[in-house]
Amino acid sequence: MKPLKRALKVLLLTVAAYLVQVCVMRYFTVRSVVGSVIFAVLAIIVVTCGKKYAFCASCIIGMMMECMLSNSNVPSLYVIAYPAITMLCAQTFADLSDRQLEQRRLAYERRQVRISQGRGEKHWWHSFALRYRDADLPPAIRIPLCAGEMDAFLNAVLIAYMYLIGEELTLIHVFRLAGSVAYTMGLAAALMYPCRKLLGMYPRRRRAQGGEEV
């Protein structure tokens, strides 16, 4: 896909995510918990298009959110929070370059050699870590995880701010944070296929003259 065409589609998804979050999601609350379509779409952009597109999209979202919440007690909170959280999570979930993949492969091999020589301990979580940290996970797993991590970070920042201004924190806040993260991950899983198809990740199969797909 041409860069300009992809950039326009990313912009369309960004604005659509903002409008849906502000105008529609209030009608889909579950016990006062609202998922974040914004973080779901940003996670899709992170994994599908890379860090540059995700940074631009997060800056646009942050500016629009700041304009809507201009009476917030913390100036420029969303302008700073959305790009910072997006880029922090992109370091973990964005596609790796060939060089990064090679570095991870070499690190994995060195770790295996140390374990086979008895110079390293293999804990119960070691196999899990090797599979899910050192390998490049499929997008179907990375996108919901990225969306959930983004939502958890922002909610943690808001809860910390509430605590600093003197509001008492209870388990209800923790349950709402967990519910919001789960809701956002579900939204990311549901929106993943149509958004990635719009971004050209699933090209249409062409038919040959004989009618067979190629």
Side-chain angles (χ1 to χ4, degrees):
M1 180 182 295
K2 295 181 180 180
L4 178 59
K5 187 176 181 181
R6 169 166 286 191
L8 291 175
K9 289 186 176 182
V10 169
L11 178 61
L12 175 63
L13 282 178
T14 302
V15 176
Y18 168 77
L19 293 176
V20 171
Q21 183 69 39
V22 173
C23 302
V24 179
M25 288 305 296
R26 68 180 70 177
Y27 303 108
F28 293 92
T29 59
V30 179
R31 295 189 176 183
S32 301
V33 174
V34 181
S36 177
V37 176
I38 291 175
F39 281 134
V41 171
L42 284 177
I44 294 170
I45 295 173
V46 165
V47 175
T48 305
C49 302
K51 299 176 184 178
K52 294 180 181 179
Y53 289 95
F55 177 73
C56 295
S58 62
C59 288
I60 294 172
I61 287 289
M63 288 186 289
M64 290 191 295
M65 292 292 289
E66 189 66 29
C67 291
M68 184 189 73
L69 301 175
S70 58
N71 294 325
S72 174
N73 294 326
V74 184
S76 304
L77 171 64
Y78 294 103
V79 172
I80 298 173
Y82 275 93
I85 291 173
T86 300
M87 296 312 296
L88 179 63
C89 296
Q91 300 302 319
T92 304
F93 295 103
D95 282 335
L96 300 175
S97 64
D98 293 339
R99 181 179 179 181
Q100 290 172 323
L101 289 172
E102 182 65 17
Q103 289 175 346
R104 288 197 176 190
R105 186 186 66 81
L106 293 175
Y108 169 79
E109 292 177 353
R110 288 195 296 267
R111 190 179 296 111
Q112 289 293 87
V113 170
R114 288 197 301 269
I115 292 174
S116 64
Q117 294 176 350
R119 292 184 295 173
E121 297 182 4
K122 186 174 182 180
H123 301 283
W124 63 269
W125 46 264
H126 191 267
S127 298
F128 179 86
L130 290 179
R131 182 178 179 184
Y132 291 97
R133 184 186 62 188
D134 296 331
D136 195 14
L137 287 175
I141 297 177
R142 279 185 290 150
I143 289 174
L145 289 178
C146 183
E149 185 175 350
M150 289 180 181
D151 191 69
F153 273 130
L154 182 61
N155 279 284
V157 170
L158 296 177
I159 289 176
Y161 171 72
M162 292 168 57
Y163 176 77
L164 291 175
I165 63 177
E167 185 170 341
E168 183 180 357
L169 300 182
T170 63
L171 287 177
I172 295 177
H173 295 91
V174 178
F175 291 146
R176 292 188 65 180
L177 186 150
S180 177
V181 170
Y183 198 163
T184 301
M185 293 177 69
L187 289 172
L191 296 174
M192 177 171 50
Y193 179 78
C195 290
R196 283 170 62 83
K197 186 173 183 179
L198 176 65
L199 293 172
M201 296 304 295
Y202 307 111
R204 296 179 180 178
R205 295 182 178 181
R206 298 179 180 179
R207 291 185 177 275
Q209 294 182 356
E212 297 181 355
E213 292 184 349
V214 295

